[in-house]
Short mmCIF file of all heavy atoms in Angstrom, two decimals:
data_model
loop_
_atom_site.label_atom_id
_atom_site.label_comp_id
_atom_site.label_asym_id
_atom_site.label_seq_id
_atom_site.Cartn_x
_atom_site.Cartn_y
_atom_site.Cartn_z
N VAL A 17 38.33 71.17 -83.25
CA VAL A 17 37.25 70.34 -83.77
C VAL A 17 37.60 68.87 -83.61
O VAL A 17 36.75 68.05 -83.23
CB VAL A 17 36.97 70.69 -85.25
CG1 VAL A 17 35.83 69.84 -85.80
CG2 VAL A 17 36.65 72.16 -85.40
N ARG A 18 38.85 68.52 -83.89
CA ARG A 18 39.27 67.13 -83.72
C ARG A 18 39.17 66.70 -82.26
O ARG A 18 38.67 65.62 -81.95
CB ARG A 18 40.72 66.96 -84.21
CG ARG A 18 40.93 67.31 -85.67
CD ARG A 18 42.33 67.00 -86.13
NE ARG A 18 43.37 67.67 -85.36
CZ ARG A 18 44.64 67.73 -85.71
NH1 ARG A 18 45.03 67.14 -86.83
NH2 ARG A 18 45.53 68.35 -84.97
N VAL A 19 39.66 67.55 -81.35
CA VAL A 19 39.63 67.21 -79.93
C VAL A 19 38.20 67.06 -79.43
O VAL A 19 37.88 66.13 -78.68
CB VAL A 19 40.37 68.30 -79.11
CG1 VAL A 19 40.21 68.04 -77.61
CG2 VAL A 19 41.85 68.33 -79.48
N GLN A 20 37.32 67.95 -79.86
CA GLN A 20 35.92 67.88 -79.44
C GLN A 20 35.27 66.59 -79.92
O GLN A 20 34.49 65.96 -79.19
CB GLN A 20 35.15 69.10 -79.97
CG GLN A 20 33.70 69.16 -79.54
CD GLN A 20 33.53 69.33 -78.04
OE1 GLN A 20 34.44 69.76 -77.35
NE2 GLN A 20 32.36 69.00 -77.53
N TYR A 21 35.59 66.18 -81.14
CA TYR A 21 35.02 64.94 -81.66
C TYR A 21 35.51 63.74 -80.85
O TYR A 21 34.71 62.85 -80.50
CB TYR A 21 35.36 64.75 -83.13
CG TYR A 21 34.86 63.43 -83.68
CD1 TYR A 21 33.50 63.21 -83.85
CD2 TYR A 21 35.75 62.41 -83.99
CE1 TYR A 21 33.03 62.00 -84.33
CE2 TYR A 21 35.28 61.19 -84.47
CZ TYR A 21 33.92 60.99 -84.63
OH TYR A 21 33.46 59.78 -85.10
N ILE A 22 36.79 63.68 -80.57
CA ILE A 22 37.33 62.58 -79.76
C ILE A 22 36.64 62.55 -78.41
O ILE A 22 36.22 61.48 -77.92
CB ILE A 22 38.86 62.74 -79.59
CG1 ILE A 22 39.57 62.60 -80.93
CG2 ILE A 22 39.40 61.71 -78.59
CD1 ILE A 22 41.04 62.96 -80.90
N ARG A 23 36.51 63.71 -77.79
CA ARG A 23 35.86 63.80 -76.48
C ARG A 23 34.42 63.29 -76.54
O ARG A 23 34.00 62.47 -75.73
CB ARG A 23 35.90 65.24 -75.98
CG ARG A 23 35.26 65.48 -74.61
CD ARG A 23 35.39 66.95 -74.23
NE ARG A 23 34.84 67.19 -72.91
CZ ARG A 23 33.56 67.44 -72.67
NH1 ARG A 23 32.68 67.48 -73.68
NH2 ARG A 23 33.13 67.66 -71.44
N GLU A 24 33.67 63.77 -77.52
CA GLU A 24 32.27 63.38 -77.63
C GLU A 24 32.11 61.89 -77.90
O GLU A 24 31.20 61.24 -77.36
CB GLU A 24 31.60 64.20 -78.75
CG GLU A 24 31.41 65.68 -78.40
CD GLU A 24 30.82 66.47 -79.54
OE1 GLU A 24 30.65 65.89 -80.64
OE2 GLU A 24 30.55 67.67 -79.36
N LYS A 25 32.99 61.33 -78.71
CA LYS A 25 32.89 59.91 -79.04
C LYS A 25 33.19 59.04 -77.83
O LYS A 25 32.52 58.03 -77.58
CB LYS A 25 33.85 59.57 -80.19
CG LYS A 25 33.46 58.31 -80.93
CD LYS A 25 32.13 58.51 -81.66
CE LYS A 25 31.56 57.21 -82.16
NZ LYS A 25 30.23 57.38 -82.78
N LEU A 26 34.19 59.42 -77.05
CA LEU A 26 34.54 58.64 -75.86
C LEU A 26 33.46 58.76 -74.79
O LEU A 26 33.14 57.78 -74.09
CB LEU A 26 35.89 59.09 -75.31
CG LEU A 26 37.09 58.86 -76.25
CD1 LEU A 26 38.38 59.33 -75.59
CD2 LEU A 26 37.20 57.41 -76.67
N ILE A 27 32.87 59.93 -74.65
CA ILE A 27 31.77 60.10 -73.70
C ILE A 27 30.56 59.31 -74.14
O ILE A 27 29.87 58.67 -73.33
CB ILE A 27 31.43 61.60 -73.54
CG1 ILE A 27 32.57 62.33 -72.81
CG2 ILE A 27 30.12 61.77 -72.77
CD1 ILE A 27 32.39 63.83 -72.76
N GLU A 28 30.27 59.33 -75.43
CA GLU A 28 29.14 58.56 -75.98
C GLU A 28 29.30 57.07 -75.67
O GLU A 28 28.34 56.40 -75.26
CB GLU A 28 29.07 58.77 -77.49
CG GLU A 28 28.02 57.95 -78.21
CD GLU A 28 28.11 58.12 -79.72
OE1 GLU A 28 28.04 59.27 -80.20
OE2 GLU A 28 28.29 57.10 -80.41
N THR A 29 30.51 56.55 -75.85
CA THR A 29 30.77 55.14 -75.56
C THR A 29 30.60 54.83 -74.08
O THR A 29 29.99 53.83 -73.70
CB THR A 29 32.19 54.77 -76.01
OG1 THR A 29 32.33 55.03 -77.41
CG2 THR A 29 32.47 53.30 -75.75
N ALA A 30 31.13 55.72 -73.23
CA ALA A 30 31.01 55.52 -71.78
C ALA A 30 29.55 55.55 -71.34
O ALA A 30 29.13 54.74 -70.50
CB ALA A 30 31.80 56.60 -71.04
N ARG A 31 28.77 56.45 -71.92
CA ARG A 31 27.35 56.55 -71.57
C ARG A 31 26.60 55.28 -71.96
O ARG A 31 25.77 54.78 -71.20
CB ARG A 31 26.75 57.77 -72.26
CG ARG A 31 25.27 57.98 -71.97
CD ARG A 31 24.74 59.23 -72.64
NE ARG A 31 25.21 60.44 -71.97
CZ ARG A 31 26.03 61.34 -72.52
NH1 ARG A 31 26.48 61.14 -73.75
NH2 ARG A 31 26.39 62.41 -71.85
N GLU A 32 26.91 54.73 -73.13
CA GLU A 32 26.21 53.54 -73.59
C GLU A 32 26.60 52.30 -72.79
O GLU A 32 25.77 51.41 -72.59
CB GLU A 32 26.49 53.32 -75.08
CG GLU A 32 25.84 54.37 -75.97
CD GLU A 32 26.19 54.19 -77.44
OE1 GLU A 32 27.14 53.41 -77.73
OE2 GLU A 32 25.54 54.80 -78.29
N GLU A 33 27.85 52.24 -72.34
CA GLU A 33 28.32 51.04 -71.66
C GLU A 33 28.21 51.11 -70.14
O GLU A 33 28.04 50.08 -69.49
CB GLU A 33 29.78 50.77 -72.06
CG GLU A 33 29.94 50.44 -73.53
CD GLU A 33 31.36 50.03 -73.88
OE1 GLU A 33 32.26 50.24 -73.03
OE2 GLU A 33 31.56 49.52 -74.98
N LYS A 34 28.31 52.32 -69.59
CA LYS A 34 28.35 52.45 -68.14
C LYS A 34 27.16 53.20 -67.56
O LYS A 34 27.05 53.35 -66.35
CB LYS A 34 29.65 53.13 -67.72
CG LYS A 34 30.90 52.37 -68.14
CD LYS A 34 32.17 53.10 -67.74
CE LYS A 34 33.41 52.33 -68.18
NZ LYS A 34 34.66 53.05 -67.82
N GLY A 35 26.32 53.72 -68.44
CA GLY A 35 25.12 54.38 -67.97
C GLY A 35 25.16 55.89 -68.11
O GLY A 35 26.22 56.50 -68.24
N GLU A 36 23.98 56.48 -68.07
CA GLU A 36 23.82 57.92 -68.27
C GLU A 36 24.55 58.72 -67.20
O GLU A 36 25.15 59.76 -67.48
CB GLU A 36 22.34 58.28 -68.28
CG GLU A 36 22.06 59.74 -68.59
CD GLU A 36 22.46 60.12 -70.01
OE1 GLU A 36 22.35 59.26 -70.90
OE2 GLU A 36 22.87 61.29 -70.20
N ASP A 37 24.51 58.27 -65.94
CA ASP A 37 25.15 59.02 -64.86
C ASP A 37 26.65 59.12 -65.05
O ASP A 37 27.25 60.17 -64.83
CB ASP A 37 24.84 58.37 -63.51
CG ASP A 37 23.38 58.52 -63.11
OD1 ASP A 37 22.71 59.39 -63.70
OD2 ASP A 37 22.92 57.77 -62.23
N VAL A 38 27.28 58.02 -65.47
CA VAL A 38 28.72 58.03 -65.70
C VAL A 38 29.07 58.94 -66.87
O VAL A 38 30.01 59.74 -66.80
CB VAL A 38 29.24 56.60 -65.98
CG1 VAL A 38 30.71 56.64 -66.39
CG2 VAL A 38 29.07 55.73 -64.75
N GLY A 39 28.29 58.85 -67.94
CA GLY A 39 28.52 59.72 -69.08
C GLY A 39 28.40 61.18 -68.73
O GLY A 39 29.21 62.01 -69.16
N ARG A 40 27.40 61.51 -67.93
CA ARG A 40 27.20 62.90 -67.53
C ARG A 40 28.35 63.39 -66.65
O ARG A 40 28.81 64.53 -66.78
CB ARG A 40 25.87 63.04 -66.79
CG ARG A 40 25.51 64.50 -66.47
CD ARG A 40 24.20 64.60 -65.72
NE ARG A 40 23.09 64.00 -66.46
CZ ARG A 40 22.49 62.87 -66.11
NH1 ARG A 40 22.88 62.21 -65.02
NH2 ARG A 40 21.49 62.40 -66.82
N GLU A 41 28.83 62.51 -65.76
CA GLU A 41 29.93 62.89 -64.86
C GLU A 41 31.20 63.17 -65.66
O GLU A 41 31.90 64.15 -65.39
CB GLU A 41 30.16 61.76 -63.85
CG GLU A 41 31.16 62.09 -62.74
CD GLU A 41 32.58 61.74 -63.10
OE1 GLU A 41 32.77 60.78 -63.88
OE2 GLU A 41 33.50 62.43 -62.64
N ILE A 42 31.49 62.34 -66.65
CA ILE A 42 32.68 62.56 -67.49
C ILE A 42 32.52 63.84 -68.30
O ILE A 42 33.46 64.62 -68.46
CB ILE A 42 32.90 61.35 -68.42
CG1 ILE A 42 33.20 60.10 -67.60
CG2 ILE A 42 34.05 61.63 -69.39
CD1 ILE A 42 33.28 58.84 -68.43
N GLU A 43 31.33 64.06 -68.80
CA GLU A 43 31.06 65.23 -69.63
C GLU A 43 31.28 66.53 -68.87
O GLU A 43 31.71 67.54 -69.44
CB GLU A 43 29.62 65.17 -70.15
CG GLU A 43 29.30 66.16 -71.24
CD GLU A 43 27.96 65.89 -71.86
OE1 GLU A 43 27.11 65.24 -71.21
OE2 GLU A 43 27.74 66.32 -73.00
#
């Protein structure tokens, strides 16, 4: 649960700053 939260938060930040395509690629 901790790892999933860290992952989701970092992806959320990347999506907001670098765009939806980058966020999706990381995800």
Side-chain angles (χ1 to χ4, degrees):
V17 181
R18 300 186 303 192
V19 173
Q20 183 64 20
Y21 176 70
I22 295 170
R23 180 179 182 274
E24 289 177 355
K25 201 66 193 176
L26 297 181
I27 291 173
E28 175 186 304
T29 302
R31 180 178 286 114
E32 290 177 347
E33 295 186 348
K34 300 178 181 179
E36 185 65 33
D37 291 342
V38 173
R40 187 181 302 109
E41 187 270 330
I42 297 174
E43 192 170 22

